[in-house]
Amino acid sequence: MSELETLREAAVEELADLWRDLDNARRFAVNGEWSMQCDWLEERIKRLTPLVGPTPWEEIQISLLERGIYQRIHADLGIDVAVDMERVAKVRESIARRGSVRP
């Protein structure tokens, strides 16, 4: 693997980690929705995404999809992402049936 391929792979992994971090930051925000840390993470996501492409929606935390945060951030970048919200709803239903719902 070339150094460029290794760097790209690291950036793709970092981007996926930033989405997880954004979900956690949102959950722990004082108002439960958004914080300055969320703003900072969003800016980092916006810096990396054009370089490596969007993280597949299937790898994104369900609450970010349900609230349209993933979609909004990409729209801000002019990147079209199609999320199968029917599939997202089925995953949420499955989680609810298991009794581990976390909005």
Side-chain angles (χ1 to χ4, degrees), residues 7-72:
L7 181 59
R8 185 181 191 300
E9 185 178 297
V12 167
E13 289 176 18
E14 176 65 14
L15 184 57
D17 289 343
L18 288 170
W19 282 107
R20 277 188 291 280
D21 292 346
L22 178 59
D23 185 55
N24 286 329
R26 191 196 55 76
R27 288 173 190 258
F28 292 109
V30 172
N31 62 5
E33 288 297 322
W34 209 256
S35 67
M36 288 175 58
Q37 183 180 11
C38 294
D39 286 336
W40 180 71
L41 290 163
E42 179 178 346
E43 287 307 312
R44 292 182 64 203
I45 288 168
K46 286 180 173 179
R47 187 182 301 161
L48 272 179
T49 299
L51 300 174
V52 298
T55 300
W57 70 266
E58 295 90 346
E59 297 177 23
I60 300 299
Q61 295 65 36
I62 193 168
S63 63
L64 297 176
L65 300 171
E66 290 173 325
R67 287 178 170 73
I69 295 168
Y70 173 81
Q71 298 90 317
R72 177 189 57 77

